[in-house]
Amino acid sequence: MPPMTTDPGQQVVRTQPLEAVTGVQLMQGIGVPQARGFWADAWSQVLKRPAAVCGLVWVGVITFCAVFAPILANGHPLIMETLDAQRHVVSASSPLLRSLTPMDVLLLLTPFAGLPCLLLRGEGSRVRALRLVLAGFVSAMIVAMLASIAQAMILGRDPTPWLKTLRDDSYAGFKVGLGAAAIVACLGLLVPLGTARLKRVLVLLIACSVAGAVVWRTWEREPDKFDYRDRQAAGQVRAVYTLVPFSPDQRYSELNRRRPLSTLGAGLGLKSDAPGADHTFVLGTDAFGADVFTQILHASRLSISIGVVSTGIALLIGVTMGAIMGYFGGWVDLMLYRIVEVFMAVPVLFLLIVAVAVLPTEWRNTYVMMAIIGCFTWTNMARYTRAEFLKLRNQDFVQAARAVGLPLRSILFRHMLPNGVAPVLVDTSFSIAAAINIEAVLSYLNLGPIGQASWGKLLSSAISAEGEFKWWLAVFPGLAIFLTVLAYNLIGEALRDAIDPKLKKARV
């Protein structure tokens, strides 16, 4: 490290490289490395482990595929030109963009909204901006989720009379989207974002308005039709496709269980110059003739969303319960810990199987699965938080916060929680991996969300009804599950070692 000398104005000046320092120089701060914060030091230790870095890279790849899957793999043309009888272009459109769901739009807009925040100067302003973007995305996602559940109820098989009236209303999507936005906006005022109330209201209203508009626009989406190649052969349109020109629900019954690198033209007996004849099934097809690679890309969204959202729900419940138990102790701790023990005794997998058997078909979706997993897997987080708060509640800074009259919420979540959240964050990575495993098992048993691609569902089709085993239907989705779960476990293990005080002393 280059040495430091002081000028008459007491300013530190760099000079020639320093080989040794004296005790006086050390007392003046010369030659002493700059101290880093707790999490900065822990993160630097995580990045020193090659296995953890590999895990982070894989999680980044899966997250990228989850966000941009509708753009990377889609059976609808990116650009389609309609032709007249003389082969002149009449109009141009983008069926791919029209086919996007509200959640697709929200996930695609969020990275572009968060990217400018990373370019802001100053760590504090960057964190505040990212917090606002995250709050807007969460509120918009909740609006889309509530509207989707309402749509399933209204368009169900046997809705109640007032739901039938709403179903016949041409503005049903607008009304449901507006109602969901109003609910989320009211609830958002109670969430502490660490910003001014006006900014909070603004970001929530913008997010809810965007989500409500998207829900209204896509309320009555027509069923997907993949007749573009036939129209191309008839000379009606010209189409340009994305990287992988197949959708998860685009099926060819004649092409079931085709080997990897099979072509569409060879399977359907098309001529080499026919539209789409050169399109290749990179990882083969499943039992229904759907592209396996496309389903793996789209299934990454289901696995990541269930893992992250359900763990987020569990984190919110577990930290709140553990903070209350650890801070108050006594009879409050005794009674609430009995509740923790009750939830610990509930087998989550069997509960999900029973819920799938009892709930109607329209309720077998991702949101219900997220809620069930999150509401019954928070017990370990509550126990870790309770143990940390029991140690912290008699510390001097907590006593000082009580003495100055700070509210309970500020004491628990602004002063005590940052000092006791480390074990909970380590458990979070393992919880995400466990949630992904649970979803894969349910989908393997054909009890997962209906109408969504899943790694477990692909695994279940590896063996046909005749007992014939197709290796590509087991290897590729199984490898995706294995690598994703392993990546989260490696990250959790590295983070656990990084914050371990005994190992930290050994490093020093």
Side-chain angles (χ1 to χ4, degrees):
M1 178 178 178
M4 303 290 183
T5 60
T6 56
D7 61 4
Q10 298 298 321
Q11 294 179 350
V12 178
V13 180
R14 292 182 180 273
T15 59
Q16 58 186 0
L18 182 67
E19 297 180 357
V21 293
T22 64
V24 176
Q25 289 176 320
L26 289 175
M27 293 177 62
Q28 294 175 347
I30 301 173
V32 179
Q34 185 179 3
R36 291 182 294 185
F38 176 80
W39 290 111
D41 180 68
W43 185 248
S44 65
Q45 295 300 323
V46 170
L47 295 180
K48 290 179 180 179
R49 302 185 62 163
V53 173
C54 293
L56 288 170
V57 171
W58 178 254
V59 171
V61 171
I62 292 297
T63 304
F64 178 84
C65 294
V67 173
F68 294 99
I71 304 298
L72 297 174
N74 204 311
H76 298 281
L78 181 62
I79 300 174
M80 185 179 70
E81 297 177 341
T82 305
L83 308 177
D84 57 10
Q86 288 75 31
R87 297 255 180 182
H88 295 154
V89 178
V90 177
S91 61
S93 60
S94 179
L96 187 149
L97 297 180
R98 289 204 310 267
S99 68
L100 297 179
T101 64
M103 197 58 63
D104 295 335
V105 176
L106 294 177
L107 288 175
L108 289 172
L109 289 178
T110 301
F112 296 104
L115 184 61
C117 301
L118 299 177
L119 303 178
L120 294 176
R121 294 184 178 180
E123 184 178 354
S125 59
R126 189 182 301 122
V127 171
R128 287 193 297 270
L130 286 174
R131 190 181 300 166
L132 289 175
V133 172
L134 180 61
F137 169 72
V138 171
S139 55
M141 186 180 67
I142 294 175
V143 172
M145 179 184 68
L146 294 177
S148 176
I149 294 174
Q151 182 185 21
M153 295 174 61
I154 294 171
L155 303 180
R157 291 176 297 177
D158 299 315
T160 57
W162 70 274
L163 288 179
K164 288 182 180 179
T165 304
L166 186 59
R167 180 176 61 182
D168 298 334
D169 190 351
S170 59
Y171 293 97
F174 174 74
K175 292 179 179 179
V176 172
L178 185 62
I183 293 173
V184 175
C186 294
L187 295 177
L189 299 179
L190 305 176
V191 179
L193 295 177
T195 60
R197 181 177 293 272
L198 180 60
K199 290 184 179 180
R200 246 190 293 170
V201 174
L202 182 62
V203 69
L204 289 172
L205 288 180
I206 291 175
C208 293
S209 300
V210 171
V214 172
V215 170
W216 181 28
R217 180 178 177 273
T218 59
W219 180 263
E220 296 180 353
R221 292 176 63 246
E222 297 181 358
D224 291 331
K225 297 179 181 179
F226 302 97
D227 57 348
Y228 307 106
R229 294 180 177 86
D230 296 335
R231 295 170 65 184
Q232 278 184 275
Q236 299 175 358
V237 298
R238 280 202 302 258
V240 177
Y241 292 89
T242 185
L243 297 177
V244 184
F246 300 105
S247 291
D249 52 351
Q250 185 177 2
R251 300 173 177 179
Y252 300 93
S253 57
E254 306 92 342
L255 303 178
N256 60 327
R257 292 189 172 90
R258 294 283 175 169
R259 289 184 172 274
L261 301 180
S262 300
T263 59
L264 180 65
L268 297 179
L270 302 177
K271 296 181 180 179
S272 58
D273 58 346
D278 57 342
H279 291 169
T280 304
F281 299 103
V282 179
L283 301 183
T285 62
D286 64 0
F288 301 100
D291 183 46
V292 173
F293 184 49
T294 299
Q295 293 188 72
I296 289 178
L297 288 179
H298 284 260
S300 61
R301 172 175 297 186
L302 176 63
S303 298
I304 292 294
S305 61
I306 284 184
V308 173
V309 176
S310 62
T311 304
I313 296 173
L315 185 66
L316 180 63
I317 299 174
V319 167
T320 304
M321 289 285 290
I324 295 174
M325 288 189 296
Y327 180 78
F328 290 101
W331 64 270
V332 175
D333 180 29
L334 184 64
M335 293 186 63
L336 292 181
Y337 203 81
R338 302 290 81 78
I339 298 176
V340 173
E341 291 176 343
V342 170
F343 276 86
M344 288 175 61
V346 177
V348 179
L349 181 60
F350 290 105
L351 177 65
L352 285 167
I353 294 175
V354 173
V356 169
V358 173
L359 292 175
T361 305
E362 57 267 17
W363 286 88
R364 281 182 58 184
N365 53 41
T366 309
Y367 308 119
V368 175
M369 188 177 296
M370 290 175 183
I372 294 177
I373 295 176
C375 291
F376 287 89
T377 57
W378 52 268
T379 53
N380 285 336
M381 299 179 185
R383 294 166 63 196
Y384 293 144
T385 308
R386 170 183 175 269
E388 293 296 321
F389 274 55
L390 285 174
K391 294 188 297 184
L392 294 172
R393 65 176 181 172
N394 293 323
Q395 296 290 327
D396 293 339
F397 72 93
V398 178
Q399 300 297 330
R402 290 176 182 171
V404 299
L406 292 180
L408 179 61
R409 184 184 67 182
S410 178
I411 296 175
L412 292 179
F413 301 112
R414 288 182 62 89
H415 297 278
M416 297 182 68
L417 184 60
N419 293 279
V421 75
V424 179
L425 293 182
V426 172
D427 184 66
T428 298
S429 61
F430 296 111
S431 299
I432 294 175
I436 293 174
N437 267 332
I438 292 175
E439 183 277 324
V441 171
L442 283 177
S443 298
Y444 181 82
L445 298 175
N446 202 21
L447 299 176
I450 297 177
Q452 288 186 272
S454 172
W455 294 335
K457 192 180 297 183
L458 283 173
L459 277 174
S460 65
S461 63
I463 300 179
S464 64
E466 297 80 14
E468 187 178 2
F469 176 73
K470 302 297 184 181
W471 63 268
W472 60 90
L473 293 175
V475 171
F476 297 123
L479 194 62
I481 296 172
F482 169 74
L483 291 178
T484 305
V485 173
L486 178 63
Y488 279 108
N489 286 334
L490 289 175
I491 295 171
E493 182 181 357
L495 188 58
R496 180 188 60 196
D497 294 343
I499 66 175
D500 191 339
K502 294 181 181 179
L503 295 178
K504 188 174 182 179
K505 291 181 179 178
R507 290 193 297 268
V508 175

